[in-house]
Amino acid sequence: MAKYDYDLFVIGGGSGGVRAARVAAATGAKVALAEEDRMGGTCVIRGCVPKKLMVFASEYREIFADARAYGWDVQDGAFDWPRFRTALHTELDRLEQVYRKLLDGSGVDIFDTRASLEDPHTVKLADGGTKTAKVILIATGGRPDRPETPNADLGLVSDDLFGLEQLPTSILIVGGGYIACEFAGILNGLGVEVTQFYRGAQILRGFDGEARGLIADQMRERGVDLHCGTNIVEMAPATAEHMRHGTDSDAAMGADLHQAQDRATGQGGAAGGPVRVKGSNGLERVHDRVLFATGRRPNSDGLGLAGIGVETGRRGEIVVDAYSRTAVPSVYAIGDVTNRVQLTPVAIREGMAFVETAFKDNPTAVDHDLIPSAVFTQPEFGTVGLSEEEARDREPVEIYCTSFRPMQTAFADRPDRVMMKLVVSQASRRVLGCHIVAPNAGEMIQLAGIAVKMGATKEDFDRTVAVHPTMAEELVTMRDPVRSA
Ligand code: NDP
């Protein structure tokens, strides 16, 4: 009789956990997976996938306007949120079933319940019973985190956006990271009046400075009321009095207040209802909704980690080595719960490397270097490698950069600008960083990322013939550096 019920028990059915379970099962291992919520996790159910579909939905306003410039007879139409939301959830249901079938087809036993650790080889299931496993993999992901501002529970978090009964008329988005900037663009595109507060000097901290500046300018150009160096000083439910008289000298508030007042009926300013916010910039306004996009926290609470000796860090992240091993030899952790790089493809990579290490006798460390990624802001941002600021702190660099109005939108007389930038080592000539702000920049950076990961030099880029007429051809036609640093 086998010593354990399973060779592997995975806790968490998100991208990382599902991939690890399937690949481990393919080695012949007996595998189980527990998920307390919906299969697919953050990426599929309340993150990347529904977000990207919302980005597509939000872009049609501009597409319709451009179509007229191209000679099409297109009438303005209204966006029907309930219709889109229904279609969105139908699609998410379908994808959830795909994930479930993939696990079933791989022979993985699924437990639709919460699981925690009882000892280094025993998992306790919330709906009763325990299961033992030779190896346990924790892939429980993360969740949105609210700041400690009083009354922060009046605000929404990103999870809430996909199920809203109706779109707000106005929203204050707090934060300047991926989620804040992406939803500022989405909601603005869908016709919501968007105000954004970011506490720092410029949004998208950590990315290339020039790209950040262009994205911020273009977000403002498109109508996002972005306030940097600003945070919430005070927030409270909007009372009928606030909504009758307003709290803001800003005349534009009038219409917003009336709409917020209509929405407040029956909600009395309860969580998710109109909120009066005083900003550190002196602005006091009623917003139909407030969204906190102020970072995410690892889902490590209540897993019984401390009891068995699994170490966690300051934000609750599970501490692992390069092989995703925790302090307990039979317990591994991957994905957002380890708070290394919070990206779906990275969690998947970590899951695959875990299987190599634990089930194929091939210890494999995850390579977290030169990860290309995209921020689905409007305009979109694709990036890989070092920002100009990071690179010039390390070594002398040359900067090749161009910014221009792309053909497609210039024809429609839109003021959009795109940017292509290469950060090049003066010594090795290697391209240390590539930063693209442009429609479909995510698609472009995936390909440029291969060259950068391979160690391509500026001369390798130059040797490549341009694809004409495209925006990306500028990546191989920039002859002279704009500066050396
Ligand atoms: P981020 O860490 O990207 O951004 C959090 C933002 O909130 C920062 O601007 C931060 O400011 C600000 N902030 C944090 N605490 C406070 C506070 N107390 N008061 C005011 N502002 C605060 O987190 P997100 O939630 O946007 O996203 C989480 C992660 O999910 C991302 O880091 C990314 O890895 C992943 N993600 C990836 C996407 C993609 O690949 N396209 C899309 C969405 C998410 P400061 O800069 O000053 O710290």
Side-chain angles (χ1 to χ4, degrees), residues 51 147 176-179 182 198-199 205 231 293-295 342-343 374:
K51 178 276 306 287
Y178 282 78
I179 296 178
E182 290 183 343
Y198 172 52
R199 63 184 178 179
R205 182 168 61 83
N231 217 338
T294 47
Q342 295 180 42
L343 295 173

Side-chain angles (χ1 to χ4, degrees), residues 382-413:
T383 180
V384 64
L386 299 180
S387 67
E388 176 178 342
E389 295 73 18
E390 285 169 325
R392 69 179 182 219
D393 280 350
R394 296 189 191 184
E395 59 177 298
V397 288
E398 282 180 356
I399 304 301
Y400 295 82
C401 188
T402 178
S403 178
F404 55 95
R405 291 177 71 199
M407 186 195 241
Q408 187 176 5
T409 45
F411 183 83
D413 211 20

Side-chain angles (χ1 to χ4, degrees), residues 183-254:
F183 274 104
I186 291 169
L187 294 169
N188 180 58
L190 295 178
V192 178
E193 190 184 307
V194 177
T195 307
Q196 186 178 354
F197 283 1
Y198 172 52
R199 63 184 178 179
Q202 183 58 282
I203 55 167
L204 297 171
R205 182 168 61 83
F207 292 106
D208 185 84
E210 221 166 353
R212 296 161 71 192
L214 179 60
I215 295 165
D217 288 350
Q218 299 273 297
M219 285 170 65
R220 288 190 174 105
E221 181 79 43
R222 285 173 155 87
V224 174
D225 186 15
L226 171 61
H227 299 257
C228 290
T230 305
N231 217 338
I232 291 182
V233 173
E234 200 179 298
M235 65 186 284
T239 62
E241 186 70 5
H242 290 127
M243 286 189 277
R244 243 190 330 274
H245 300 297
T247 48
D248 188 12
S249 53
D250 183 356
M253 274 296 291

